[in-house]
């Protein structure tokens, strides 16, 4: 399928009539075109998160609404856009996600319109679970493991023992959810899953760095404990 569908154009027009430029940009980023969300729409949405007059809940809720679409293309692009916003947008965005009582409900999602949609549905379910886990981690720790400072002066390296024992399981859960995406080279056959893979790969590198800092911190503290014998 190439080009925007009539449904895409009608949806964008509806948002334009309501005066919501942000919702319209979400709609344009999540069209039925089998390609990654366009950079110009993602850049607009990222910029919007830094504007004080932008309604972050409305922005996020529009993405959640798009994720209820029957088309794997629209849903997958909504997830990619959400992930992109978590990484590059203002922290207010992921703060709102973490505050929601419900997140992506995609555990039973399946697009039966064709073989490709059926195959991609598996990755959509896994991706939705990872993004939910990312929000849960933020809710638990009040920070994003992928965005905090790393290294000798990093957050995990200098965290207090009680908080560190809370952080490591949350971090492990997020890593586990990411690894469950379990994509293989033959599956990277369209721009949408390729975009998701790159975002996940970058997250994984940062999560491992945070995990490494946490382990170094734990080992350092264990060396300070006097033996009982």
């Amino acid at each position: 399928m190439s080009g925007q569908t009539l449904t895409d154009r009608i949806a964008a027009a509806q948002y334009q009539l309501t005066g919501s430029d942000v919702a319209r940009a979400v709609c344009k980023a999540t069209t039925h075109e089998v390609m990654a969300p366009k950079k110009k729409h993602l850049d607009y949405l990222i910029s919007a998160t830094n504007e004080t007059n932008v309604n972050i809940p409305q922005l996020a809720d529009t993405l959640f609404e798009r994720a209820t679409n029957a088309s794997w293309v629209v849903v997958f692009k909504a997830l990619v856009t959400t992930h992109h916003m978590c990484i590059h947008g203002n922290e207010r965005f992921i703060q709102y996600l973490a505050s929601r009582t419900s997140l992506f409900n995609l555990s039973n999602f399946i697009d039966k319109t064709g073989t490709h949609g059926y195959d991609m549905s598996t990755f959509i379910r896994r991706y939705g679970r990872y993004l939910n886990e990312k929000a849960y981690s933020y809710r638990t720790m009040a920070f994003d493991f992928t965005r905090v400072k790393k290294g000798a002066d990093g957050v995990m390296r200098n965290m207090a023992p009680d908080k560190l024992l809370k952080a490591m399981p949350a971090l492990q859960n997020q890593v586990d959810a990411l690894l469950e995406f379990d994509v293989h080279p033959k599956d990277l056959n369209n721009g949408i899953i390729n975009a998701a893979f790159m975002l996940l790969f970058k997250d994984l590198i940062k999560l491992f760095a945070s995990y490494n800092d946490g382990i170094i911190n734990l080992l350092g503290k264990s060396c300070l404990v006097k033996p009982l014998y």
Side-chain angles (χ1 to χ4, degrees), residues 1 34 70-73 109-125 189-190:
M1 186 184 297
V34 184
S71 168
W72 74 267
V73 178
F109 177 82
I110 186 167
D111 184 335
K112 298 180 180 179
T113 57
T115 305
H116 199 50
Y118 190 89
D119 292 341
M120 289 296 109
S121 295
T122 299
F123 297 107
I124 285 171
R125 294 192 295 270
N189 51 30
N190 66 74

Side-chain angles (χ1 to χ4, degrees), residues 79-143:
L79 296 179
V80 169
T81 302
T82 300
H83 195 178
H84 197 86
M85 302 286 289
C86 288
I87 295 173
H88 301 290
N90 190 286
E91 194 171 359
R92 293 188 301 151
F93 181 79
I94 194 169
Q95 283 175 347
Y96 174 70
L97 296 189
S99 73
R100 283 180 59 106
T101 55
S102 62
L103 294 166
F104 292 110
N105 183 20
L106 296 167
S107 58
N108 296 314
F109 177 82
I110 186 167
D111 184 335
K112 298 180 180 179
T113 57
T115 305
H116 199 50
Y118 190 89
D119 292 341
M120 289 296 109
S121 295
T122 299
F123 297 107
I124 285 171
R125 294 192 295 270
R126 295 171 182 173
Y127 199 14
R129 180 176 180 274
Y130 170 69
L131 292 179
N132 287 349
E133 195 62 52
K134 189 177 179 73
Y136 295 151
S137 293
Y138 192 98
R139 185 186 301 171
T140 300
M141 301 306 305
F143 64 79

